[in-house]
Amino acid sequence: MKPIIDQHAALIVVDLQPDFMPGGPLACHEGDTIVPGIRALLKARVFSHVVATQDWHPAGHISFASSHAGTKPFDQIDLYGHPQTLWPDHCLQATHGSALHADVDWSSLNAIIRKGSHPDVDSYSGFRENHGPDGRRPCTGLAGWLSERGVDEVYVCGLARDVCVLWTAQDAVYAGFRTHLLWDLSRPVTPTTDAATRETLIAKGIAITEASNLQRA
C-alpha cells in the first residue's frame, strides 16, 4: 500500500549539507546522488510541513578528532559513559560546508533545527542531542513544534542514513510519531552498514519506503 500524505504528515530532511557530500571532510557514500530527488520532492509540495536539520558545530567541538590529542577521525572514545565516534572537523558554523545544499530550493521549508552547537555535546538526532555530562539527552524542540501543528506522522530522509537519519527516525518513534524512512533519499557514511540499519529500522517499527511511493491526499 502506498503511503498517503495528508496535512498531519511532515518531511524531515536531515543534514543535506556540502560537508557530507563527496569532496567534503565527512563525505557520505554517494551523498550527492540524493540531492535531485529531494529537490523534486520539495518542488512538488507533497508535504504541508517540511523541516530541515543542520549540523552547526563551533570550532573545537568535542566530537572532532582534532580536539583529542593522539586520536584520529573515526576512532572511538568513551564520553560521559557512552561511546563517541570522533569525526573530522565538519559543518563549522557559518561556513560553506555547513550551509543547506544550494542546489535545493528551500522555499517550502517551515523550520530549521540546528544541532551540535553545544561545544561539549554531540548531536545526531533532529529530536534530541546525544548524552551530555549530566547523562541526559536534551530535546531540540522539534517534537513540540510538530505536535503543535497536528503532525502525527513523519518521513525522514537525508544524511547520513546510518547515523543522523537513523537516530532521528528512532527518536521520532520515541516521541510518538508514526515514522517512515525514505531509503532512496538517504545515503550512509558507508554502505557496509545498510544491513544493520535495515534490521534496526524493522525492530523499531519504522517503515522503509521510497519517495516514488508517496501519494498526496
Side-chain angles (χ1 to χ4, degrees), residues 55-69 71 77 79-80 84-93 114-124 129-131:
D55 239 18
W56 196 251
H57 295 309
H61 192 264
I62 201 164
S63 71
F64 295 166
S66 61
S67 299
H68 303 270
T71 67
I77 64 170
L79 183 65
Y80 312 133
Q84 170 68 52
T85 299
L86 298 179
W87 306 107
D89 290 24
H90 66 282
C91 294
L92 292 169
Q93 295 174 3
R114 285 178 168 167
K115 57 192 184 68
S117 57
H118 191 293
D120 295 325
V121 182
D122 206 1
S123 188
Y124 298 158
E129 295 180 352
N130 295 10
H131 289 92

Side-chain angles (χ1 to χ4, degrees), residues 145-162:
W145 188 93
L146 293 169
S147 295
E148 287 176 0
R149 285 153 182 79
V151 171
D152 58 20
E153 186 171 26
V154 298
Y155 292 75
V156 187
C157 64
L159 302 170
R161 182 160 62 207
D162 47 346

Side-chain angles (χ1 to χ4, degrees), residues 28-93:
C28 297
H29 177 71
E30 298 179 343
D32 56 333
T33 62
I34 67 174
V35 173
I38 292 176
R39 179 173 62 234
L41 183 58
L42 295 187
K43 184 178 180 180
R45 306 274 175 162
V46 174
F47 289 88
S48 300
H49 313 278
V50 181
V51 178
T53 71
Q54 189 176 18
D55 239 18
W56 196 251
H57 295 309
H61 192 264
I62 201 164
S63 71
F64 295 166
S66 61
S67 299
H68 303 270
T71 67
K72 60 184 182 300
F74 305 105
D75 283 353
Q76 276 204 347
I77 64 170
D78 179 271
L79 183 65
Y80 312 133
H82 298 271
Q84 170 68 52
T85 299
L86 298 179
W87 306 107
D89 290 24
H90 66 282
C91 294
L92 292 169
Q93 295 174 3

